[in-house]
């Protein structure tokens, strides 16, 4: 929980908070007390003020609100409000009444943690979670005992729905899709359909008892909710099959496909709440302007491929030396790239200010470094997640597993070292900072050949200014001398870049373990680069890459052809395979992150 003073300061921020109280929204007084005492929430945010009364009314709802605006409590509070009113009281034998579907393990744990706090005074409502990678039999035992509010990742949930006969869900009333668009992007669409079928919660279908499917009538009053900061046309199908006459919150009328039957702004101010006449397509494909926190400072840095690594290290050094206490998250495209950079940054020693032995043995980046990706052991992921949450000053290197929903407090800067691809991912990655009205910076690395990506972001209402990298490089003294280089032909020729690159390359070449990590990272990075899809293939063209320069960005000295040949082979083979399987269109996100 944050300090009371910080919370008070935030409370006065009218862009973030509404001018009403939680109790005025209709929430039970004990729940309002919990929000205040356990969470430190004095007043609702705008999205909470708008959505909580609508969700309390029992309607199906689609919520689109910027990252870090409090969507989690928006859906949890009304559900808890209703559950604590049940008479007789809910018992464990009632099984699951509410199901929260999330895309990642970390988000699963985070939502579960919030539930534990909110349910402190409602001990008869039991929270729980199930997710891939956990011990199935332990989960089975927990399900058998009964979990009132269950947070789950889709694959594992489907597994238990199909195989765990003691999983009681006949009284299920709520299904929530948190980060709905991401759940679909990860390829869970089919699993979701099956889940809805098994739960008898699919709209426009007559539900019969068949096998392990259950019977449910409309009177059972299911209420389903879909939430994200980037609700777009991709969730149309999910909205169609899971929502009935949904109310839309935070979506601009002109971007919706379906004509609203009426619209009201109520007493809650400027944002729209729109009720829809029917459950046809709800979002048009032009609905692609994403809301970003207005205080977020967004920049890009243009770096030639061969100098990317030096650029990254220099920027990180500057960030942590400028402000000792801060948290930074850097995003990479693959697990191997995270592993390589994690080891490099944790071990690389060099002091550019002196030639003395002792000083040369100083770590270049002297901060705590963490890593997070999908190939790590479950236990390690959990430890990292908790450790980085509590750290005051640290650097987290991650794949997109950390891009969605995670609420690490006080992250000051987001670095996207590898491009996020889709604009939605850009929005969620930068959304790990500048949360709830706090300050935040973001920096996107682009090679000169990728600069058109800025136009792609512009189409989604995202605009960035350039970061002065050259000025930063000039500011580093090299062996006691400053290097202000006039008429520099290219950034690669800057003395600081040359010197650091040379030191990095000799470090890697003398450490076989590091060299192996670098080669693996290089190969998977190129593979990920070829996996961009649609319009983005025009911007991130593997043909435009100079593989020798890519190798340099992993501090590899090898002849480009040596490493490059095998990668070209792999890339071609992969593309052929994709064509054959008709998979060319689809980017395999899960294998990368
Ligand atoms: N009413 C409130 N008062 C103070 N803090 C709040 C309030 N509501 C939420 N918060 C805090 O704001 C932060 C962001 O909330 P949350 O993670 O729910 O945002 P989100 O909109 O779901 O973000 P994302 O889109 O990134 O998932 C959390 O630290 C949460 O504890």
């Amino acid at each position: 929980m944050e300090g009371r003073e910080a919370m008070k300061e935030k409370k006065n921020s009218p862009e973030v908070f509404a001018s009403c109280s939680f109790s005025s929204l209709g929430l039970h007084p004990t729940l309002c007390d919990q929000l205040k005492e356990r969470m430190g929430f004095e007043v609702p945010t705008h999205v909470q003020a708008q959505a909580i009364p609508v969700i309390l009314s029992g309607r199906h709802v689609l919520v689109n609100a910027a990252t870090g605006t409090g969507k989690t409590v928006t859906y949890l509070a009304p559900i808890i409000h209703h559950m604590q009113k049940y008479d007789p009281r809910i018992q464990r034998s009632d099984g699951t009444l509410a199901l929260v579907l999330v895309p990642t393990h970390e988000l699963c744990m985070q939502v579960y943690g919030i539930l534990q706090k909110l349910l402190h005074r409602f001990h008869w409502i039991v929270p729980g979670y199930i997710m891939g990678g956990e011990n199935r039999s332990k989960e089975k035992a927990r399900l058998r005992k009964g979990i009132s509010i269950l947070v789950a990742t889709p694959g594992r949930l489907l597994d238990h729905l199909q195989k765990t006969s003691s999983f009681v869900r006949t009284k299920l009333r709520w299904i929530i899709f948190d980060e709905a668009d991401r759940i679909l992007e990860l390829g869970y669409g089919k699993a979701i359909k099956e889940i809805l079928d098994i739960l008898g919660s699919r709209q426009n279908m007559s539900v019969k008892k068949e096998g392990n499917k259950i019977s449910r009538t409309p009177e059972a009053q299911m209420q389903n909710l879909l939430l994200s900061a980037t609700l777009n046309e991709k969730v149309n199908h999910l909205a169609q099959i899971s929502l009935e006459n949904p109310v839309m919150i935070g979506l601009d009328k002109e971007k919706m496909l379906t004509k609203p039957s009426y619209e009201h702004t109520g007493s809650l101010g400027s944002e729209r709440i729109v009720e829809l006449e029917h459950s046809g397509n709800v979002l048009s494909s032009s609905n692609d302007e994403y809301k970003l926190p207005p205080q977020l400072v967004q920049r890009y840095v243009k770096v030639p491929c061969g100098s990317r690594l030096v650029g990254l290290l220099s920027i990180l050094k500057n960030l942590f030396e400028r402000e000792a206490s801060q948290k930074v998250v850097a995003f990479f495209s693959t697990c191997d790239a995270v592993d390589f950079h994690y080891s490099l940054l944790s071990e690389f020693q060099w002091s550019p200010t002196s030639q003395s032995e002792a000083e040369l043995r100083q770590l270049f980046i002297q901060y705590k470094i963490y890593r997070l990706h999908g190939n790590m052991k479950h236990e390690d992921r959990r430890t990292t997640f908790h450790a980085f949450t509590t750290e005051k000053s640290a650097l987290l290197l991650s794949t997109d597993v950390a891009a969605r929903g995670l609420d690490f407090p006080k992250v000051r800067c987001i670095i996207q070292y590898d491009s996020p691809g889709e604009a939605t991912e850009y929005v969620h990655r930068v959304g790990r900072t500048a949360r709830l009205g706090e300050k935040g910076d973001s920096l996107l690395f682009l090679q000169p050949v990728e600069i058109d990506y800025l136009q792609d972001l512009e189409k989604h209402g995202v605009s960035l200014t350039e970061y002065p990298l050259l000025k930063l490089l000039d500011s580093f003294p090299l062996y006691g001398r400053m290097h202000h280089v006039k008429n520099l032909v290219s950034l690669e020729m800057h003395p600081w870049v040359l010197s650091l690159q040379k030191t990095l390359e000799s470090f890697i070449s003398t450490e076989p373990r590091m060299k192996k990590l670098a080669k693996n990272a290089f190969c998977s990075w190129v593979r990920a680069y070829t996996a961009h899809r649609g319009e983005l293939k025009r911007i991130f063209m593997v043909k435009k890459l100079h593989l020798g320069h890519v190798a340099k960005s992993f501090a590899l000295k090898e002849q480009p052809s040596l490493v490059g040949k095998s990668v070209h082979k792999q890339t071609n083979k992969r593309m052929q395979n994709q064509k054959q399987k008709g998979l060319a269109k689809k980017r395999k996100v899960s294998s990368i992150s």
Side-chain angles (χ1 to χ4, degrees):
M1 201 198 302
E2 287 191 55
R4 295 270 160 196
E5 279 314 304
M7 208 49 106
K8 257 186 209 156
E9 237 171 64
K10 281 190 188 176
K11 200 184 80 179
N12 296 329
S13 158
E15 317 80 58
V16 179
F17 293 101
S19 53
C20 60
S21 64
F22 278 109
S23 57
S24 71
L25 304 179
L27 292 173
H28 190 273
T30 314
L31 182 53
C32 297
D33 288 350
Q34 288 298 89
L35 285 165
K36 196 168 172 180
E37 287 161 18
R38 289 263 143 192
M39 311 288 294
F41 298 180
E42 305 268 344
V43 292
T45 62
H46 285 299
V47 67
Q48 288 161 357
Q50 285 155 22
I52 288 175
V54 187
I55 300 176
L56 281 173
S57 77
R59 295 287 305 270
H60 289 231
V61 180
L62 266 155
V63 179
N64 183 66
T67 49
T69 51
K71 292 187 284 300
T72 318
V73 159
T74 302
Y75 64 81
L76 291 181
I79 293 172
I80 296 172
H81 167 90
H82 280 303
M83 281 192 178
Q84 58 78 33
K85 271 195 326 196
Y86 274 48
D87 187 16
R89 267 187 186 183
I90 286 169
Q91 296 178 10
R92 291 194 83 161
S93 57
D94 290 328
T96 298
L97 282 89
L99 199 53
V100 181
L101 283 159
V102 292
T104 62
H105 303 176
E106 285 74 15
L107 193 51
C108 201
M109 289 189 288
Q110 184 175 293
V111 175
Y112 172 71
I114 297 168
L115 266 174
Q116 282 182 309
K117 287 187 190 162
L118 288 177
L119 291 172
H120 190 71
R121 301 249 297 268
F122 306 111
H123 56 86
W124 62 97
I125 306 174
V126 180
Y129 64 88
I130 51 173
M131 58 191 185
E134 289 282 295
N135 183 312
R136 265 195 188 78
S137 17
K138 281 191 185 157
E139 286 184 348
K140 265 187 183 179
R142 293 207 302 264
L143 286 170
R144 192 179 314 120
K145 279 191 186 163
I147 296 175
S148 327
I149 306 180
L150 180 65
V151 193
T153 52
R156 182 52 67 94
L157 172 67
L158 182 59
D159 193 42
H160 282 292
L161 284 173
Q162 289 166 336
K163 295 180 193 148
T164 307
S165 53
S166 55
F167 177 9
V168 178
R169 65 268 183 176
T170 41
K171 295 197 175 164
L172 186 75
R173 190 170 152 196
W174 293 273
I175 304 181
I176 297 101
F177 298 93
D178 194 352
E179 306 291 349
D181 52 328
R182 183 63 177 166
I183 293 177
L184 297 179
E185 272 168 23
L186 287 174
Y188 285 126
K190 197 165 161 264
I192 295 294
K193 266 189 210 159
E194 284 185 55
I195 289 169
L196 290 174
D197 278 349
I198 293 174
L199 295 173
S201 185
R202 191 156 156 191
Q203 299 301 314
N204 311 321
M205 65 173 229
S206 56
V207 186
K208 293 184 198 124
K209 189 161 176 91
E210 263 176 49
N212 62 355
K213 296 181 183 178
I214 58 159
S215 170
R216 187 176 298 286
T217 57
E219 299 85 70
Q221 281 207 336
M222 282 298 298
Q223 183 183 17
N224 296 347
L225 316 169
L226 253 77
L227 305 96
S228 180
T230 51
L231 281 182
N232 52 33
E233 86 285 0
K234 288 180 196 153
V235 299
N236 264 330
H237 188 57
L238 178 58
Q240 277 174 27
I241 63 170
S242 63
L243 306 178
E244 200 183 342
N245 293 334
V247 177
M248 321 262 292
I249 293 170
L251 287 156
D252 296 334
K253 192 174 72 180
E254 57 273 17
K255 288 173 197 156
M256 293 186 308
L257 212 61
T258 314
K259 262 195 160 231
S261 58
Y262 80 82
E263 177 187 329
H264 68 89
T265 51
S267 56
L268 297 169
S270 54
E271 296 263 344
R272 284 191 186 87
I273 300 177
V274 179
E275 186 170 356
L276 297 171
E277 221 158 33
H278 60 81
S279 57
N281 272 1
V282 286
L283 300 159
S284 76
S285 54
S286 62
N287 176 42
D288 46 14
E289 267 210 12
Y290 300 122
K291 290 181 184 140
L292 286 141
Q295 75 284 11
L296 172 70
V297 179
Q298 302 174 76
R299 292 194 283 187
Y300 70 93
V301 57
K302 193 163 75 175
V303 200
C305 189
S307 306
R308 272 164 50 80
L309 185 59
V310 169
L312 176 69
L313 265 67
S314 310
I315 286 168
L316 286 174
K317 188 175 176 62
N318 174 259
L319 266 176
F320 283 107
E321 282 178 0
R322 211 181 49 196
E323 213 176 307
S325 177
Q326 67 166 321
K327 273 153 85 171
V328 176
V329 180
F331 284 101
F332 296 82
S333 58
T334 72
C335 306
D336 288 333
V338 169
D339 285 340
F340 164 70
H341 290 93
Y342 171 77
S343 296
L344 178 76
L345 290 170
S346 310
E347 293 169 32
F348 177 60
Q349 302 176 341
W350 185 49
S351 170
T353 48
S354 155
Q355 299 268 32
S356 91
E357 261 305 291
E359 285 195 31
L360 280 173
R361 265 192 260 113
Q362 271 179 16
L363 279 174
F364 187 75
I365 303 281
Q366 303 189 352
Y367 281 87
K368 263 206 180 137
I369 304 174
Y370 293 93
R371 70 190 171 119
L372 190 66
H373 62 65
N375 280 352
M376 282 166 64
K377 277 196 207 135
H378 217 59
E379 201 41 51
D380 296 342
R381 273 173 84 164
R382 194 190 298 262
T383 313
T384 299
F385 172 71
H386 288 301
F388 191 69
T389 301
T390 49
E391 282 293 353
K392 284 212 161 52
S393 177
L395 167 66
L396 174 69
L397 312 181
S398 181
T399 58
D400 276 335
V401 291
R404 290 277 184 150
L406 298 193
D407 186 49
F408 297 119
K410 303 266 170 228
V411 171
R412 259 313 297 275
C413 180
I414 300 298
I415 296 181
Q416 308 199 46
Y417 185 58
D418 292 332
S419 132
E422 302 266 333
T424 46
E425 280 332 283
Y426 175 92
V427 170
H428 287 279
R429 282 176 169 192
V430 298
R432 296 319 98 209
T433 186
R435 295 174 75 73
L436 213 71
E438 290 205 334
K439 279 189 203 160
D441 294 315
S442 71
L443 185 61
L444 171 69
F445 271 70
L446 288 174
Q447 298 179 39
V449 288
E450 301 168 339
I451 216 73
D452 283 356
Y453 186 59
L454 295 176
Q455 287 167 16
D456 196 72
L457 290 177
E458 284 275 353
K459 283 190 227 152
H460 301 275
V462 179
S463 51
L464 284 70
T465 54
E466 187 166 1
Y467 177 92
L469 181 60
L470 200 55
K471 206 168 143 198
L472 173 74
L473 299 178
D474 282 346
S475 74
F476 289 117
L478 202 54
Y479 309 122
R481 290 213 324 268
M482 297 301 287
H483 286 270
H484 176 60
V485 189
K486 280 186 192 158
N487 307 324
L488 191 71
V489 190
S490 82
L491 200 116
E492 289 122 310
M493 301 313 289
H494 193 282
W496 168 265
V497 176
L498 287 170
S499 202
L500 181 51
Q501 180 70 31
K502 199 170 146 224
T503 323
L504 283 164
E505 285 178 15
S506 58
F507 170 64
I508 297 294
S509 65
T510 51
E511 296 273 337
R513 192 182 59 84
M514 283 303 310
K515 201 167 172 180
K516 191 157 179 265
L517 284 172
K519 282 188 173 179
N520 289 345
F522 169 84
C523 291
S524 67
W525 187 90
V526 176
R527 276 202 298 275
Y529 206 87
T530 64
H532 285 288
R533 59 181 165 171
E535 268 289 284
L536 294 174
K537 259 188 156 24
R538 193 184 48 81
I539 300 166
F540 301 100
M541 283 174 74
V542 77
K543 275 190 196 157
K544 282 195 202 162
L545 287 180
H546 184 304
L547 291 179
H549 293 173
V550 179
K552 272 184 85 175
S553 73
F554 291 93
L556 285 167
K557 269 190 207 171
E558 276 89 343
Q559 293 284 315
S561 56
L562 246 180
V563 187
K565 254 184 199 168
S566 67
V567 169
H568 266 313
K569 250 191 221 162
Q570 280 185 36
T571 309
N572 288 341
K573 206 168 152 193
R574 183 183 143 94
M575 284 167 116
Q576 271 170 10
N577 280 344
Q578 279 188 341
K579 263 188 198 159
Q580 276 165 13
K581 290 183 193 162
L583 287 175
K585 278 176 274 163
K586 194 171 174 193
R587 190 177 178 193
K588 281 198 161 182
V589 187
S590 49
S591 66
I592 290 168
S593 60

